[in-house]
Amino acid sequence: MKDNFSVRSDRYAKYRPSYPEALFAHLDTLVPAKLNAWDCGTGNGQVAVELAKRFEKVFATDISAAQIEQAQQADNIGYSVQSAEKTNFDDRQFDLITVAQAIHWFNFDAFYTEVRRTAKQNAILCVIGYGNVLVSDTIDSVVGELYHKVLGTYWDAERRYIDEQYTTIPFPFEELPAPRLAMEQQWTAEHFIGYLNTWSAVKHYTERNAHNPVHAVQDEILRLWGSGARTVSFPLLLRMGRVEL
């Protein structure tokens, strides 16, 4: 599994969007027993800390120790550096398994084998992602040019699963209907530019070309943004399934 997010993990924790309450309220309706949850590929713990409000114990894993060092804390979250495909968890341990903006980096078959091993009968697997950010027609056009034309060849091949809205990932479980949700945040232009700098393709481009491609568009974004905060929206990509053993 690739690790694109250990470098400048503090920036990732600061600038990435957070998931909506409506997502966790929906999961509440699917998981009656709230003993143990596993948040796989936890990153900075955004999902784990929300699950900790509902579950007795949350186990949160990531391959990046740097990311976990930045993670949000709660008394009932246990963070550990482990791969998605092989963990030290017990068989039949989890009522819920979540993966947020990470499954496209996994070895699908190996991860799903681990899901079946560690999940309880009829546990829920929730795969979460988010699509490209939407702000306004003019700003979206500038960002789209950066995303597709400037950075197009610098995205990892796995990024296509996001572009395909997670509809093409293998998902060998009894699939459940998923609500249509979006993450909406109030961001300043500076925060938005900070978010663009967390893109893995920006890191790849900068390493190969010795300059940051975001710098070429940030003045235009600042001009179009105006003063104050704007609403930014990220459509959620959801696949939900029941694990039958």
Side-chain angles (χ1 to χ4, degrees):
M1 180 177 165
K2 297 178 182 177
D3 179 5
N4 283 327
F5 305 105
S6 286
V7 176
R8 297 306 306 269
S9 56
D10 56 333
R11 179 180 292 173
Y12 189 90
K14 181 177 181 180
Y15 291 115
R16 285 284 169 141
S18 54
Y19 297 95
E21 171 62 25
L23 170 61
F24 302 102
H26 182 71
L27 289 175
D28 276 348
T29 68
L30 299 178
V31 187
K34 295 179 176 62
L35 298 178
N36 295 318
W38 173 23
D39 184 38
C40 183
T42 193
N44 60 12
Q46 289 173 312
V47 170
V49 77
E50 292 299 324
L51 296 178
K53 300 173 184 177
R54 297 161 167 85
F55 283 78
E56 290 188 16
K57 182 69 176 179
V58 176
F59 299 79
T61 62
D62 203 282
I63 61 167
S64 170
Q67 284 273 35
I68 285 179
E69 286 175 4
Q70 299 291 329
Q72 304 173 60
Q73 300 296 314
D75 290 342
N76 59 334
I77 301 177
Y79 287 103
S80 60
V81 178
Q82 300 193 65
S83 73
E85 297 84 359
K86 186 174 177 58
T87 69
N88 60 12
F89 299 134
D90 293 337
D91 294 353
R92 314 291 174 257
Q93 184 170 349
F94 298 114
D95 303 288
L96 172 69
I97 298 172
T98 56
V99 188
Q101 198 70 353
I103 199 170
H104 50 288
W105 303 114
F106 295 177
N107 177 310
F108 295 119
D109 289 342
F111 172 61
Y112 290 145
T113 296
E114 192 69 348
V115 167
R116 289 190 178 94
R117 183 185 71 80
T118 60
K120 296 177 182 177
Q121 174 68 21
N122 291 323
I124 297 297
L125 171 65
C126 180
V127 173
I128 309 160
Y130 51 86
N132 290 336
V133 62
L134 302 173
V135 185
S136 69
D137 289 345
T138 52
I139 294 171
D140 295 350
S141 178
V142 172
V143 174
E145 184 93 0
L146 174 68
Y147 184 96
H148 294 288
K149 293 188 178 179
V150 177
L151 297 175
T153 60
Y154 292 89
W155 290 105
D156 293 276
E158 294 89 344
R159 179 72 191 186
R160 73 178 180 87
Y161 292 112
I162 295 286
D163 292 335
E164 294 161 358
Q165 301 183 350
Y166 275 178
T167 59
T168 56
I169 66 169
F171 198 76
F173 301 98
E174 176 197 347
E175 191 144 9
L176 303 174
R180 295 176 64 87
L181 299 171
M183 299 185 293
E184 292 193 346
Q185 327 264 233
Q186 294 295 311
W187 280 359
T188 62
E190 290 75 17
H191 192 113
F192 183 75
I193 290 166
Y195 161 72
L196 296 181
N197 277 298
T198 69
W199 285 0
S200 58
V202 168
K203 183 186 79 168
H204 297 329
Y205 184 103
T206 303
E207 288 171 348
R208 296 177 202 172
N209 297 283
H211 69 273
N212 185 332
V214 175
H215 293 168
V217 299
Q218 65 185 25
D219 286 346
E220 180 68 359
I221 290 172
L222 288 167
R223 183 186 70 80
L224 293 169
W225 199 278
S227 60
R230 279 179 176 259
T231 300
V232 301
S233 179
F234 296 82
L236 276 191
L237 317 175
L238 295 173
R239 304 290 297 273
M240 297 182 177
R242 194 174 301 281
V243 183
E244 296 183 341
L245 306 178

